[in-house]
Amino acid sequence: MKHRNKTLFLLSVTACVLALTLAFHSYAQQKDKAMYDIRLMTLDPGHFHAGLVQREMFPGVAPQVHVYAPLGFDLYEHLKRINGFNTRADKPTQWALEIHTGGDPLARMLTEKPGNVVVIAGRNAGKMDRIKASVEGGLHALVDKPWIISAADFPKLEATFKAAEAKKLIAYDIMTERFEITTRLQRELLNDAGVFGKLQQGSESEPAIYMESVHHLFKSVSGVVNVRPAWFFDIKQQGEGVADVGVHLVDLVQWMAFPEQALDYRKDVNVLSGKRWPTLISKDEFKRVTNEPDFPAYLAANVKGDKLEYFCNGSMTYALRGVHAKLDVIWNYEAPAGGGDTHVAWFKGTKSRIEVRQDKEHSIHVTPNSAANKAEVLAALQKKVAALQNKYPGIGVADEGERLRVTFPASYRDGHEAHFAQVAQRFFAYVRDPKTLPAWEQANMLAKYYTTTKGLELGYRASSASQ
């Protein structure tokens, strides 16, 4: 049976490679090929985000993409996803992949170097080494979070940015949440003194900022069940909640509370506490999400009884320039019927509290701090919304009594997957003109990863103290 399964797997990989190789030959035979200034390479794609970067085609980006990866499950899933984009009925893409499976993928890519941009999304252990080597090797890098899952790798992050600056290269992380409509409107309102006032400082027990992100292990992506590799459940490979999904939350706190300001992790960040806890996964649930019949040996230490303790959940509190924030990252096994991943974010100002909820409806509410100042806040909100019409046509204000709601057309809900193309477009613009990369981006990347890895470190200390 094992040999039969291996044979079927290799046949599936071969079929997918053949389809994409034929696409490559079709591309290569085109007579009137335009010149492309951006040529992509994908390195060991172990996460579906690597494929989502290619959900659309881009002007000036070569259709031919070189993939460097070992033959196996991760590569197969990536090829299936790209082939799905190429064969979909609505606006199919025309990517042509050339697959390189022999030898050390990183070393071979840096030796052959058929492209000038590398996309990295996969195993998080050792990811920083791959990014650093790619940049030092002269490549621009578009990389999914997290870049580091341990404070031990922080010096490599700093060295990578120094190398990128010296070589005029762009090393950029994929922060999709910045393109969500509710997040963008929340940022606009937070920075309007008439609507929000000033951001309160809060305290550790009563934070001024709170964010919660709930994800699910079993889910569908682009209409297809997302089969996760077994290594995803190894925290040494994937990382834990605060150091993984927490990167998005910390990025949003910085991006919204201190827009276009460079933060210094050495003096602006004070991480106060951390916590970590597991989601329990049965053997049947593990099989359903990975297609593996049993827990692999490398997870044995985390199997208690007949369930896997997957330490994917985390919480942390910290102060950023004196403003207190609390973040919760939660992974459930599966969303309730009709549900999905959710996001909650609220900020307390001296005039109002502004809250975003991303669930079935996605909403943004402004709650005046008292009934006495409601009229003032409402007038300021109406004025702000009117001023934003050129940027976001069709948004409006609804009075719901104690709170006010900012409405927007359903067309703005383009979805998480579409945001990868928006991030990629911005990244390509920076690659074409590195001087346009905002000066605060790299400083805030350092602040972000200092915060998440320190929060995880405190979570481990808290776990040890409670044992």
Side-chain angles (χ1 to χ4, degrees):
M1 178 63 75
K2 289 184 178 179
H3 293 296
R4 179 175 179 273
N5 288 340
K6 184 177 182 180
T7 300
L8 289 174
F9 172 76
L10 291 174
L11 286 173
S12 298
V13 172
T14 301
C16 205
V17 169
L18 178 61
L20 290 161
T21 301
L22 289 174
F24 165 66
H25 286 307
S26 174
Y27 154 76
Q29 292 170 1
Q30 294 176 11
K31 294 182 179 179
D32 300 319
K33 294 184 294 184
M35 296 299 291
Y36 302 102
D37 62 337
I38 292 176
R39 302 174 306 283
L40 299 178
M41 300 178 295
T42 305
L43 178 63
D44 199 3
H47 195 287
F48 66 89
H49 287 175
L52 289 179
V53 170
Q54 293 175 239
R55 192 170 180 265
E56 298 178 15
M57 305 295 291
F58 305 94
V61 177
Q64 181 189 11
V65 179
H66 291 259
V67 181
Y68 288 84
L71 187 65
F73 174 85
D74 291 347
L75 175 61
Y76 176 50
E77 288 297 306
H78 180 71
L79 299 184
K80 280 201 309 181
R81 186 158 290 111
I82 303 302
N83 195 49
F85 296 154
N86 280 352
T87 57
R88 67 191 178 203
D90 183 29
K91 298 180 180 178
T93 54
Q94 298 177 337
W95 297 110
L97 304 191
E98 185 163 339
I99 297 108
H100 310 264
T101 60
D104 179 341
L106 174 62
R108 185 174 177 185
M109 180 191 74
L110 292 175
T111 298
E112 298 176 357
K113 209 181 298 184
N116 59 350
V117 170
V118 60
V119 175
I120 301 175
R123 298 172 190 257
N124 297 324
K127 182 187 281 185
M128 192 64 245
D129 292 320
R130 297 190 288 277
I131 301 169
K132 184 173 181 287
S134 297
V135 172
E136 290 176 345
L139 299 174
H140 301 280
L142 179 61
V143 188
D144 191 35
K145 60 80 193 159
W147 289 28
I148 63 175
I149 56 177
S150 168
D153 281 336
F154 191 81
K156 297 175 185 177
L157 179 64
E158 291 185 297
T160 298
F161 283 139
K162 288 180 181 178
E165 186 175 2
K167 293 174 178 288
K168 295 183 172 56
L169 296 170
I170 302 298
Y172 199 67
D173 63 344
I174 302 174
M175 292 288 101
T176 52
E177 189 61 32
R178 294 183 188 180
F179 292 87
E180 163 62 40
I181 182 60
T182 51
T183 299
R184 302 186 92 167
L185 291 176
Q186 187 176 37
R187 185 177 189 243
E188 295 277 6
L189 300 180
L190 288 174
N191 291 283
D192 186 284
V195 175
F196 186 64
K198 294 182 179 180
L199 181 62
Q200 295 184 26
Q201 288 200 329
S203 64
E204 185 174 358
S205 59
E206 296 286 342
I209 301 172
Y210 176 73
M211 290 196 183
E212 176 194 88
S213 182
V214 179
H215 287 255
H216 300 88
L217 298 169
F218 186 85
K219 66 168 65 173
S220 295
V221 177
S222 294
V224 179
V225 173
N226 179 39
V227 179
R228 298 187 186 274
W231 62 257
F232 179 87
F233 296 88
D234 179 3
I235 59 175
K236 294 179 181 178
Q237 288 287 325
Q238 177 61 21
E240 299 192 28
V242 162
D244 181 15
V245 177
V247 172
H248 275 301
L249 305 187
V250 174
D251 182 77
L252 290 180
V253 170
Q254 296 178 170
W255 185 70
M256 290 199 281
F258 301 96
E260 300 179 13
Q261 299 177 44
L263 300 166
D264 186 340
Y265 72 89
R266 289 158 294 204
K267 62 181 182 181
D268 291 332
V269 180
N270 181 19
V271 184
L272 302 168
S273 67
K275 182 181 177 182
R276 55 192 290 272
W277 67 96
T279 291
L280 301 180
I281 304 170
S282 70
K283 189 178 295 186
D284 287 342
E285 289 172 333
F286 186 80
K287 180 179 180 180
R288 186 177 176 222
V289 75
T290 65
N291 286 338
E292 296 288 340
D294 202 352
F295 300 123
Y298 55 79
L299 294 179
N302 295 104
V303 177
K304 309 298 181 185
D306 61 348
K307 292 189 176 182
L308 172 69
E309 288 187 343
Y310 180 34
F311 276 86
C312 50
N313 307 297
S315 178
M316 65 180 294
T317 58
Y318 68 104
L320 183 61
R321 288 188 176 173
V323 175
H324 291 77
K326 181 182 180 183
L327 313 178
D328 285 326
V329 176
I330 300 167
W331 282 87
N332 296 325
Y333 179 74
E334 184 177 5
D341 294 349
T342 63
H343 171 79
V344 175
W346 50 252
F347 294 72
K348 292 179 179 179
T350 54
K351 290 186 178 180
S352 67
R353 164 177 149 149
I354 300 180
E355 178 175 359
V356 155
R357 287 188 175 271
Q358 296 174 16
D359 42 41
K360 290 182 181 180
E361 293 187 357
H362 286 217
S363 63
I364 177 167
H365 283 97
V366 177
T367 303
N369 287 349
S370 68
N373 75 331
K374 178 185 174 182
E376 176 190 352
V377 172
L378 174 58
L381 180 59
Q382 291 171 330
K383 181 180 179 181
K384 180 65 175 179
V385 166
L388 288 172
Q389 289 301 318
N390 288 336
K391 195 173 184 180
Y392 304 104
I395 65 173
V397 179
D399 189 339
E400 297 182 345
E402 292 184 357
R403 62 182 188 174
L404 311 168
R405 180 169 183 161
V406 177
T407 61
F408 51 87
S411 59
Y412 285 123
R413 287 283 312 281
D414 48 6
H416 172 66
E417 294 173 26
H419 298 159
F420 283 84
Q422 294 169 307
V423 173
Q425 286 175 328
R426 180 157 295 184
F427 167 74
F428 296 146
Y430 295 149
V431 167
R432 290 179 172 119
D433 187 359
K435 294 190 298 294
T436 62
L437 178 71
W440 51 266
E441 282 280 19
Q442 290 188 0
N444 290 5
M445 277 273 286
L446 293 172
K448 177 167 58 183
Y449 282 108
Y450 172 82
T451 303
T452 56
T453 54
K454 186 67 174 179
L456 180 61
E457 184 179 282
L458 294 184
Y460 270 94
R461 290 183 192 175
S463 294
S464 299
S466 63
Q467 292 176 353

